[in-house]
Every structure is written in C-alpha cells, then in structure tokens.
Amino acid sequence: MQASQENAIPDGSRLFFNQPLGDKESYCWSCIQNVPHYQCSNDVSIQGLHLSADTFEQHCTLESSSGTGGSYAARNSPSTTASFSTNESGVSQQNSLSYPSDVHDSPDQTSGSPTSESYVTHKLRELETAMLGTDLDVLNSCNNGILAAGGNNQISTETEKWKFLGEVISRGDLMEGLCICARFLEDGDMFTVDWLIAELRGMVSVSGEPIQRLGAYAVEGLVARLASSGSAIYNALRCKEPVLPASMELLSYMHVLYEICPYFKFGYMSANGAIAEAIKEENRIHIIDFQISQGTQWITLIKALADRPGGPPHIRITGIDDSTSAYARGGGLDIVGGRLKMLAQQFKVPFEFHAVGIPASEIQVENLKIQPGEAIAVNFALVLHHMPDESVGTQNHRDRLLRMVKGLCPKVVTLVEQESNTNTAPFFARFVETLNYYSAIFESIDVALPREHRERINVEQHCLAREVVNIIACEGVERVERHELLGKWRSRFAMAGFKPYPLSSYVNGAIKALLGKYSSKYTLEEKDGALYLGWMDRHLVSSCAWR
C-alpha cells in the first residue's frame, strides 16, 4: 500500500510515518528465517500513516538463559529448598500451616551507616523520595501489618506475632505475606523469614494468577538474598556463549514478548520518530545506538530515509553491545552490520556500520570515531539503567556518558526507560516497588496468553525472572537492574546540559494506532513533551528526547 500523494511532505520530516510498505517488506533477516516466530497482525494505518509491527523484529534487553529447560537451585535454608523449573506447574512445598515449636528472638542484623554523598546524589535521592507516589500507600499498608506482626521490635509478645502471621497465611494474602517477609528479612529476623518462605512457597505457582507467578520469582529473590547468591542466579540466567540452537529458542521467547506486549514497539517507534524529525534536512547522519541488540529497530528509519525527497542521506550506525549479548544474536555485531548493510543496499541508501563490542559503561569518545560534518543522533533505549552511578561506587558512568554525549553536540538524544524506582531505594521500598511494577507487567501478559501456555511460562522465566531476582537479591555492583523514574532522568539530562526536545504529535498518533491492536487496558499519556505507556493506572515505560 502506497502513501497518498497528498500526504507527502516536501522536507521529508514525516516520511517515517508516511512510508510505503510493499513487497520490499518481505526481505526479513535471512540469518534467522528458521526462528519460530509468534505471529500477530499489528499493521496500523491512519490518514496515510502506515506502520507495520512486522518491520520490528525480536528484541529484548533481558538476554537470559537458553530455552533448554532445567532447574535453577537457589538456597538451602533450615526449613526449605528453593528451586524453580519450567517443567513444574508451580513452586511449592507445603500447604499446611506449621507453627514453630521453639521460638527464639533473633538479634538485629541490620548494618550500614550513612556515608558522604555528593550534592547531585543527595538531590536525586530527595527527588526519589518525593516521587514514590501511590506506592506510599502500599508501604504504609505493609508497615501497619508488619508492626502488628512485630517488625522493628515493636511487639507485645511472640505469641501475638505468630498469631498474626498465621492469619496472613491462612487468608492467602500473598502480597502482604511477601511484604512482611521482606521486612523481617531487612530487620534480620531470619528465623521468621525462613518460616514465612516455607509457607509462601505453597501460595505461588508459575502457572497461576499474575501475583502467584511473580510471587514465585520474588520468593526466589528473597532466598537468594539470604544466601547471597543473587548474582550467581542472574549470571546463570544469562549464558555468555552463543550456542545456535539455544540462541534460536531464546530469540523465539523474546519475539513472543515483543509481539504480545507493545513495550518494545513503543520505544522503537517513539525514538525513530524523534530522530527522523531531528535529522530531516541532514545529508550525513551518524546514529549511535548504545544497545544495538538485533539492530532491527532501524529498519523503518532506513526505509523512510530511502524515500526522502532529493535522495537518501548517507547513514552511519555505530552499534554498541558487550560480548555477552552475542548469545541472543547467535554471534557478534558483524551479524547486525551485515543485515543492515543488506537492507540499505536493497533500498539504495549509502550506509556504513561501525561495531563497538564493549560494555556501554566503558565507552570513550575515541571509540565512536566521530567524523566532521555528520549530524549525530544518539539512542539510549533501555540501557542507561544498567549504568552504575555514584551511589554504587566512585565511577559514575551514568552521568559520565551523558556529559560525554553532550560534548558531541548531537541533533537529538532519545531515551526509553522502564518507569520504575529501584536504583537507590532501600531494600524494603525497592521490594514493594518491584512487586507493584512487575505485577502490572505480568497482568498484561496474562490477557495475551493463557496461564497454562508453555510459551508464556518460558517468556516470564527467561525474560523477566532474572530482573526480579537481581533487584531483590543483589546490592552494590552486583545489582545491575537500577531503574529510575523519568523525573530523575530529567534531572540527570538537565545537569549534563541538555534541553527537552518534545516528541512530535505524529509519534503520539502512530503509537495510539498501534495500541488499538492490544488490550484496552493499555494507556498512553503525553506529559511535558514525553510519552508514558502504561497498564491501567501504572506507567511502565517512558520515552522522551533531548538536544
């Protein structure tokens, strides 16, 4: 279907949204044609605008374990053994209530003392506290229950504590039980924690309701935190060696998640739209992608620029990705470069690909090979939250990268991030935030795939569980999943010298059309030049642009 002539824009700025998608669409990636794709129809048309979700291929920032199955041991506590497997319908042990016959008071095991912080970190933490929002209600609810149960040493008798805990378990309140367990863990009451974990195992299931499925992985995170094994589990779920059959299964899991939920498409479409607008009059374009992954997010942009009045510009893409991501691709960055070159040749677009196979946190200006006269666009899609800041150590790569990019004088910088608050939040608040955020993710998956569907179980285990475990179980440099709310990202970009670059109304319209193919519970909000994709009343992914 061709775009109508009346919708053509002389300056080419809207070509990204008015491009024809004909037979050229069928080229696909020859290297992964045998990957079993989960097919969904997601073409959208609106007033000459035609976007196809099929032009976006599988992409997932959560490279995880192979699809070969298996069970991952977590910890042997005095009362229970932890493991989960895709071959089981649930993660459980005992369903009956068993009260401890000999209750001992546990000494406090809290540790840590205030440390000196820079002014930047101090202000960001103030902002984080102010932006907890509705999660404060959850925290207060959990705190009230915990005080009744005896948390923070405010108990009348041990009998009252165990009576309350028994009531929580008896009525099957999994969310409250998880929160109470996390608080006792924070307070160092390991005897109570071990008992609660044994009981919570009987309430969770990888094929149950969303909170039960999330609860299965939250329990494993608590157990891993007890055993200080969170980092080992995280790494075990992210195999580093590319083994082709397993890689193809993982690509399949990623593609399922990509198709059944609009989160990745939302990020790609909004970033591409902002870049297309910013470089509409440039003849030499250099796109720096700090997490290139499969590289397929650039398909629609290359095709749009091929149809630009006056001829396509020269495009150079610098793809950054560390070597561990090769597992998800089945090989190195040369695979990505080869695919994009083949596409560019088909559409007669002058093209270069520059591969930088090192972690984004280690990037220096000289790695980017900037050339005179090129217009620079930088893409930070679901990657900056992996960069440690000064709350982790002396090297603040999160802000260093932003200052470095600002020094390149880019035409536009796009940011796509999960709208969650897990970077510097203390353990208990972070635990509650994780339950709230991922419960919305699991609920959105629930409406797309049946609960007993094998692919759904695989997607959640291989693409989401490792994040949950890392956030709950790990601290310091081992905790690499460090999300921040857009308000904090705004502060970081502003301190680096950037100014907002409001997203075009055409981007908003295209994404609204895309969401029409999904559940009506997805929401899209435009606020202060940024877009928020949400599930019901919870923002999940935000997208914005800077210059």
Side-chain angles (χ1 to χ4, degrees):
M1 180 172 63
Q2 301 292 325
S4 62
Q5 292 295 323
E6 63 184 6
N7 287 323
I9 307 298
D11 64 7
S13 64
R14 301 177 192 174
L15 278 171
F16 172 67
F17 302 104
N18 293 277
Q19 55 180 298
L21 299 181
D23 296 336
K24 296 179 180 180
E25 183 70 10
S26 62
Y27 77 94
C28 200
W29 292 142
S30 59
C31 299
I32 56 173
Q33 286 177 343
N34 295 323
V35 176
H37 287 188
Y38 191 86
Q39 297 295 337
C40 291
S41 177
N42 288 312
D43 288 358
V44 247
S45 300
I46 180 171
Q47 293 182 345
L49 152 70
H50 189 87
L51 299 175
S52 173
D54 294 333
T55 61
F56 294 110
E57 286 292 333
Q58 57 271 26
H59 169 89
C60 186
T61 63
L62 315 177
E63 296 88 358
S64 52
S65 74
S66 71
T68 56
S71 176
Y72 303 93
R75 172 186 183 264
N76 291 331
S77 71
S79 60
T80 185
T81 300
S83 65
F84 57 88
S85 170
T86 56
N87 296 324
E88 300 174 1
S89 61
V91 183
S92 63
Q93 279 201 345
Q94 56 200 41
N95 225 356
S96 59
L97 272 174
S98 56
Y99 293 92
S101 57
D102 184 17
V103 179
H104 300 279
D105 292 335
S106 300
D108 289 339
Q109 297 184 22
T110 55
S111 61
S113 58
T115 58
S116 60
E117 300 175 331
S118 72
Y119 174 77
V120 172
T121 300
H122 175 70
K123 298 306 290 182
L124 286 173
R125 289 193 177 184
E126 281 185 350
L127 180 61
E128 176 181 64
T129 301
M131 296 184 68
L132 277 172
T134 56
D135 289 344
L136 285 174
D137 296 333
V138 180
L139 285 171
N140 291 335
S141 175
C142 290
N143 283 334
N144 291 337
I146 290 160
L147 291 177
N152 293 332
N153 298 319
Q154 299 185 32
I155 60 174
S156 300
T157 66
E158 283 290 299
T159 301
E160 291 181 2
K161 177 180 82 171
W162 291 108
K163 179 181 178 182
F164 174 81
L165 294 178
E167 291 173 351
V168 172
I169 300 299
S170 294
R171 66 174 178 262
D173 193 334
L174 181 55
M175 178 72 84
E176 186 173 6
L178 289 166
C179 290
I180 290 174
C181 186
R183 175 48 66 85
F184 275 113
L185 177 55
E186 185 175 63
D187 291 342
D189 187 346
M190 300 309 169
F191 188 84
T192 303
V193 169
D194 278 341
W195 181 84
L196 279 169
I197 285 176
E199 298 300 329
L200 290 169
R201 285 191 183 286
M203 302 167 64
V204 301
S205 169
V206 296
S207 58
E209 297 183 1
I211 185 58
Q212 290 178 304
R213 306 199 306 268
L214 173 58
Y217 304 123
V219 168
E220 300 312 317
L222 292 171
V223 173
R225 187 176 180 88
L226 275 170
S228 301
S229 61
S231 181
I233 294 175
Y234 185 81
N235 291 329
L237 291 174
R238 184 178 184 176
C239 301
K240 297 182 179 180
E241 296 300 325
V243 182
L244 188 58
S247 308
M248 294 175 70
E249 284 196 53
L250 178 57
L251 285 174
S252 179
Y253 302 150
M254 293 175 178
H255 193 68
V256 171
L257 182 62
Y258 176 89
E259 290 292 351
I260 65 176
C261 300
Y263 305 123
F264 297 121
K265 295 186 186 79
F266 164 80
Y268 296 163
M269 291 176 69
S270 57
N272 278 3
I275 292 173
E277 175 70 21
I279 52 87
K280 60 188 177 184
E281 297 177 353
E282 303 295 336
N283 293 320
R284 295 186 62 82
I285 300 166
H286 184 182
I287 299 171
I288 303 172
D289 190 340
F290 272 80
Q291 186 160 315
I292 190 74
S293 190
Q294 304 297 320
T296 51
Q297 61 267 42
W298 303 117
I299 295 175
T300 52
L301 185 61
I302 291 174
K303 294 171 71 174
L305 293 174
D307 294 330
R308 197 172 75 172
H314 180 279
I315 302 174
R316 185 156 70 102
I317 293 181
T318 291
I320 301 168
D321 223 343
D322 62 62
S323 58
T324 60
S325 296
Y327 173 72
R329 284 187 296 267
L333 286 171
D334 57 314
I335 294 177
V336 177
R339 293 168 181 167
L340 292 176
K341 286 178 181 178
M342 182 172 62
L343 172 71
Q345 287 175 357
Q346 182 174 348
F347 288 95
K348 297 180 173 54
V349 176
F351 183 83
E352 294 179 51
F353 184 79
H354 173 222
V356 183
I358 61 177
S361 61
E362 299 177 10
I363 291 293
Q364 303 292 334
V365 173
E366 52 267 26
N367 300 128
L368 304 177
K369 300 188 182 303
I370 303 299
Q371 298 177 1
E374 52 184 21
I376 297 173
V378 178
N379 184 42
F380 287 116
L382 300 168
V383 63
L384 276 182
H385 70 270
H386 285 148
M387 302 301 107
D389 64 4
E390 56 190 42
S391 69
V392 179
T394 56
Q395 292 185 311
N396 182 358
H397 292 295
R398 193 168 294 202
D399 291 336
R400 180 190 69 81
L401 281 178
L402 294 182
R403 292 193 298 269
M404 181 193 75
V405 168
K406 179 59 179 175
L408 302 177
C409 300
K411 289 288 184 178
V412 66
V413 177
T414 54
L415 174 71
V416 180
E417 277 294 344
Q418 292 165 251
E419 189 68 1
S420 184
N421 182 29
T422 63
N423 182 23
T424 57
F427 168 68
F428 179 65
R430 188 170 77 241
F431 183 86
V432 174
E433 168 75 353
T434 301
L435 290 185
N436 286 337
Y437 182 85
Y438 285 95
S439 63
I441 297 286
F442 276 63
E443 286 171 9
S444 70
I445 294 175
D446 199 55
V447 302
L449 284 178
R451 291 177 184 173
E452 68 279 2
H453 202 293
R454 185 60 174 226
E455 284 188 321
R456 182 201 54 71
I457 296 175
N458 286 332
V459 164
E460 290 175 350
Q461 179 174 333
H462 294 294
C463 297
L464 298 176
R466 63 190 298 269
E467 275 201 358
V468 173
V469 171
N470 183 258
I471 294 170
I472 293 173
C474 299
E475 296 294 347
V477 295
E478 292 185 339
R479 181 156 59 85
V480 298
E481 303 293 342
R482 293 177 167 272
H483 308 108
E484 292 184 323
L485 299 173
L486 181 55
K488 292 182 68 173
W489 290 117
R490 288 184 189 278
S491 297
R492 291 189 185 278
F493 272 80
M495 286 185 287
F498 288 98
K499 294 182 179 180
Y501 186 94
L503 295 176
S504 165
S505 60
Y506 295 98
V507 176
N508 194 338
I511 294 174
K512 282 182 178 178
L514 172 69
L515 293 184
K517 299 296 183 179
Y518 293 88
S519 170
S520 60
K521 293 183 179 180
Y522 284 106
T523 62
L524 182 67
E525 180 180 356
E526 183 177 7
K527 184 178 179 181
D528 299 329
L531 290 177
Y532 296 84
L533 176 63
W535 177 258
M536 299 179 68
D537 59 350
R538 171 80 200 213
H539 290 158
L540 296 177
V541 185
S542 61
S543 179
C544 59
W546 302 81
R547 58 186 171 189

